[in-house]
Amino acid sequence: MTQDPASRVYAELLERVGEANPRPRIEPVRRLAELAGSPQLSFPVVQVAGTNGKTSTARAIESLLRAHGLRTGLFTSPHLVDFTERFQLDGSPIAAEPLAEAWAELQAPLALVDAELRADGQGPITFFEALAVLAFAAFADAPVDVAVIEVGMGGEWDATNIATAQVAVITPIDLDHTAILGHDVETIARTKAGIIKPGSIVVTAAQDPAALAELRAAAEQHSAGIAVAGEQFALLDDKLAVGGRVITVSGLTGGSYAPTFVPLFGHHQAENAVLAIAAVEAFFGGERAISEEVLEEGFGQLVSPGRLQLIGTEPVVYVDAAHNPHGAEALARAVAESFNFEELALVVGVLAEKDAAGVLRALAPIAHRVTLTPVDSSRSSSASELREIALTEIPDTPVELAESLPEALDEARAWAGRSPGRGVLVVGSVVLAGEAIAFARAEGWGTA
């Protein structure tokens, strides 16, 4: 079977050092982009860093900007099922042909930079370094009016940071990738604050005081304005609604918006939506509110795949990409407040470098049964390794082992189908979430 152009691009990218192994450098990426015509300078950028909520917040910002009539680009990572999901144009994955054309144009610059790096004793351009420049090139070719760019990891030396973001958005900062970013929130915040550029506007979620101090210091150093949730803008009210939340927000302009429906589950998604509103206000100068019509359209068209996404019915199966304790805690709260399952089976798979104990501990309050499965990745923890952790963290909950996700889903769905009021939640890894969505599609469950 002949590969489609996007699959060929992905296959060639996979020959490079993977995105799980970033190199703390940015000059080679800048050099590659320069040889490609510096596409990141072709449009204004809103850049989103943080530990949790980056993708949902970036999607909400893009949707609101698109509702203003702008042609948007959105770059997020990783993808769940299809590689082209990472590059969105006007709310849809990029077509294979323009992506392949942008990749073809990068081949000569890539070869030159790889040769320069080898001569200097460094490794060649990595998967994510090439990916980021590819995104900027594809958006420049489109062209877009504005690009919303999610940071891959950290901030200061992340490949996306060759852009000069007009608005730097910081979602909640917590411990993740500690071996690379640091073992305390202060150090991690310092790295993430690296996306703040001279004269930009920083829009941040409420943060740990040590993290916020780092963000304020970076903003002052770069003469950047800073707006903090709970200070310059705020979530005034958040109510559970059918299919999501109804939020009331005080924006940067000082006025309150009318109650607005957000079609996502969980209080954390309400906070992400508020952050998005403030970011869009900041993009337009922070002097005028978003119109009610634009706000309704922007949130009305908002989707966030892999975030409490329904992928099956009879029995009900949801999937969520939470993969660290902070994200798992937010997920557990969202499930408890948004659903009324009598019993819930969790299908859990975790990558080896993640805090599996913290994830399982956070999920324990909503777990009535747990099926552990390996993730389809060389970096996966084994089900037997997870079992030892689960017996400690959720000792009073039945734990089953499966050799694969399809086996785990079969087992969990069979259990859930034996009694009304039961459901299944797949959680623990972005890779696992994507695998579950793809399986549901292949099985014809009809909702994924």
Side-chain angles (χ1 to χ4, degrees):
M1 181 183 292
T2 303
Q3 275 188 317
D4 72 86
S7 296
R8 286 198 298 272
V9 172
Y10 188 44
E12 291 178 23
L13 277 163
L14 287 174
E15 294 173 3
R16 296 178 175 272
V17 172
E19 58 192 317
N21 299 286
R23 292 187 171 134
R25 64 184 191 185
I26 197 167
E27 287 311 314
V29 192
R30 207 181 303 279
R31 170 71 170 151
L32 175 62
E34 181 183 303
L35 291 171
S38 297
Q40 76 278 12
L41 304 181
S42 302
F43 39 78
V45 168
V46 177
Q47 193 172 13
V48 184
T51 303
N52 288 295
K54 287 186 299 182
T55 302
S56 294
T57 302
R59 285 182 172 277
I61 293 168
E62 181 278 330
S63 191
L64 289 170
L65 290 171
R66 180 158 36 101
H68 277 88
L70 298 178
R71 187 168 200 210
T72 58
L74 173 66
F75 176 63
T76 59
S77 289
H79 62 277
L80 289 167
V81 179
D82 298 314
F83 172 59
T84 54
E85 293 170 17
R86 298 178 184 239
F87 318 86
Q88 303 264 332
L89 289 173
D90 284 334
S92 299
I94 192 171
E97 289 75 15
L99 184 66
E101 289 170 6
W103 179 243
E105 292 169 1
L106 275 183
Q107 294 313 296
L110 273 168
L112 180 55
V113 176
D114 283 346
E116 291 174 348
L117 289 169
R118 280 193 298 269
D120 193 42
Q122 298 187 53
I125 290 292
T126 68
F127 174 103
F128 192 76
E129 289 171 341
L131 190 78
V133 179
L134 175 60
F136 289 127
F139 293 159
D141 289 345
V144 300
D145 298 318
V146 57
V148 181
I149 305 294
E150 178 188 346
V151 169
M153 188 183 298
E156 179 183 6
W157 41 260
D158 186 77
T160 64
N161 206 30
I162 60 172
T164 301
Q166 181 175 323
V167 182
V169 182
I170 313 289
T171 69
I173 296 171
D174 211 298
L175 300 180
D176 200 12
H177 303 293
T178 53
I180 298 169
L181 300 180
H183 292 276
D184 56 73
V185 293
E186 182 178 9
T187 304
I188 293 173
R190 193 175 305 135
T191 300
K192 294 182 185 294
I195 71 168
I196 299 171
K197 303 299 194 309
S200 64
I201 303 172
V202 183
V203 177
T204 176
Q207 303 287 1
D208 176 281
L212 184 57
E214 290 294 332
L215 300 181
R216 288 192 189 280
E220 183 177 358
Q221 179 184 351
H222 294 291
S223 300
I226 183 166
V228 182
E231 297 180 15
Q232 287 74 25
F233 62 98
L235 176 62
L236 300 178
D237 195 23
D238 170 33
K239 289 188 172 70
L240 180 65
V242 176
R245 322 289 301 181
V246 171
I247 63 171
T248 306
V249 179
S250 172
L252 292 180
T253 57
S256 295
Y257 289 95
T260 304
F261 177 70
V262 178
L264 301 175
F265 295 108
H267 179 70
H268 63 295
Q269 293 289 16
E271 293 175 328
N272 292 338
V274 175
L275 196 59
I277 289 172
V280 171
E281 288 178 324
F283 179 78
F284 289 111
E287 297 179 354
R288 61 183 176 89
I290 301 170
S291 74
E292 183 175 337
E293 294 78 10
V294 167
L295 201 62
E296 287 184 1
E297 180 183 344
F299 285 138
Q301 66 193 4
L302 176 61
V303 294
S304 196
R307 276 69 186 176
L308 272 175
Q309 178 181 350
L310 181 67
I311 63 169
T313 57
E314 298 182 359
V316 168
V317 182
Y318 281 89
V319 64
D320 196 276
H323 56 272
N324 57 40
H326 186 268
E329 288 168 8
L331 169 63
R333 287 194 299 270
V335 169
E337 67 188 10
S338 301
F339 303 99
N340 58 354
F341 294 112
E342 292 181 12
E343 294 182 294
L344 186 63
L346 304 187
V347 174
V348 181
V350 183
L351 296 181
E353 69 268 18
K354 297 297 183 178
D355 181 2
V359 169
L360 287 167
R361 190 182 312 124
L363 295 172
I366 60 171
H368 297 88
R369 180 185 183 87
V370 177
T371 302
L372 302 171
T373 178
V375 180
D376 186 15
S377 167
S378 60
R379 296 151 48 208
S380 177
S381 295
S382 69
S384 58
E385 289 171 333
L386 289 177
R387 181 178 184 274
E388 296 305 311
I389 299 171
L391 291 176
T392 299
E393 301 300 339
I394 44 175
D396 300 323
T397 302
V399 175
E400 303 290 332
L401 301 187
E403 294 184 0
S404 67
L405 178 63
E407 180 186 320
L409 282 170
D410 285 347
E411 194 277 335
R413 291 177 74 240
W415 172 85
R418 288 195 286 270
S419 177
R422 287 178 174 177
V424 178
L425 173 63
V426 184
V427 63
S429 164
V430 178
V431 178
L432 187 73
E435 193 182 349
I437 293 168
F439 181 76
R441 289 178 183 172
E443 292 294 301
W445 292 358
T447 57

Short mmCIF file of all heavy atoms in Angstrom, two decimals, residues 17 74 83 155 200 230 246 254 315 357 373 441:
data_model
loop_
_atom_site.label_atom_id
_atom_site.label_comp_id
_atom_site.label_asym_id
_atom_site.label_seq_id
_atom_site.Cartn_x
_atom_site.Cartn_y
_atom_site.Cartn_z
N VAL A 17 15.89 11.79 16.45
CA VAL A 17 15.76 11.60 17.89
C VAL A 17 14.37 12.03 18.32
O VAL A 17 13.90 13.11 17.96
CB VAL A 17 16.84 12.40 18.65
CG1 VAL A 17 16.57 12.35 20.15
CG2 VAL A 17 18.22 11.84 18.34
N LEU A 74 -2.86 26.43 14.45
CA LEU A 74 -2.75 25.89 15.80
C LEU A 74 -1.77 24.73 15.78
O LEU A 74 -1.95 23.77 15.03
CB LEU A 74 -4.11 25.41 16.32
CG LEU A 74 -4.11 24.67 17.65
CD1 LEU A 74 -3.70 25.58 18.80
CD2 LEU A 74 -5.49 24.05 17.93
N PHE A 83 -1.23 12.14 12.60
CA PHE A 83 -0.11 13.08 12.69
C PHE A 83 -0.53 14.50 12.33
O PHE A 83 -0.06 15.48 12.95
CB PHE A 83 1.00 12.59 11.76
CG PHE A 83 2.15 13.54 11.60
CD1 PHE A 83 2.90 13.95 12.69
CD2 PHE A 83 2.51 14.00 10.34
CE1 PHE A 83 3.98 14.81 12.54
CE2 PHE A 83 3.58 14.86 10.18
CZ PHE A 83 4.32 15.27 11.28
N GLY A 155 10.23 25.68 28.02
CA GLY A 155 9.94 26.97 27.41
C GLY A 155 11.18 27.62 26.86
O GLY A 155 11.31 27.85 25.65
N SER A 200 6.16 41.99 25.40
CA SER A 200 4.99 41.12 25.22
C SER A 200 4.03 41.28 26.40
O SER A 200 4.27 42.05 27.32
CB SER A 200 5.43 39.65 25.09
OG SER A 200 6.05 39.22 26.30
N GLY A 230 -7.36 35.85 38.88
CA GLY A 230 -7.70 36.19 40.25
C GLY A 230 -7.32 37.61 40.61
O GLY A 230 -7.72 38.12 41.66
N VAL A 246 -21.26 26.40 32.62
CA VAL A 246 -21.66 27.78 32.33
C VAL A 246 -20.80 28.67 33.21
O VAL A 246 -20.82 28.54 34.44
CB VAL A 246 -23.15 28.03 32.59
CG1 VAL A 246 -23.46 29.52 32.47
CG2 VAL A 246 -23.99 27.23 31.59
N GLY A 254 -12.10 44.83 32.72
CA GLY A 254 -12.74 45.18 33.99
C GLY A 254 -14.21 44.85 34.07
O GLY A 254 -14.77 44.78 35.16
N PRO A 315 -21.54 -0.29 26.83
CA PRO A 315 -21.55 0.69 27.92
C PRO A 315 -20.82 1.98 27.53
O PRO A 315 -20.11 2.03 26.53
CB PRO A 315 -20.78 -0.04 29.03
CG PRO A 315 -19.78 -0.86 28.27
CD PRO A 315 -20.52 -1.33 27.04
N ALA A 357 2.55 6.26 40.64
CA ALA A 357 1.96 6.23 41.98
C ALA A 357 1.09 7.45 42.21
O ALA A 357 -0.04 7.35 42.74
CB ALA A 357 3.06 6.15 43.04
N THR A 373 -2.86 -1.92 31.83
CA THR A 373 -2.41 -2.36 30.51
C THR A 373 -1.13 -1.65 30.13
O THR A 373 -0.92 -0.49 30.53
CB THR A 373 -3.50 -2.06 29.44
OG1 THR A 373 -3.02 -2.45 28.15
CG2 THR A 373 -3.83 -0.57 29.40
N ARG A 441 -12.71 3.71 16.91
CA ARG A 441 -13.06 3.98 15.50
C ARG A 441 -13.02 2.70 14.69
O ARG A 441 -13.93 2.43 13.88
CB ARG A 441 -12.09 5.01 14.90
CG ARG A 441 -12.26 6.42 15.43
CD ARG A 441 -11.22 7.36 14.82
NE ARG A 441 -11.32 8.69 15.37
CZ ARG A 441 -10.44 9.67 15.12
NH1 ARG A 441 -9.40 9.43 14.32
NH2 ARG A 441 -10.61 10.87 15.66
#
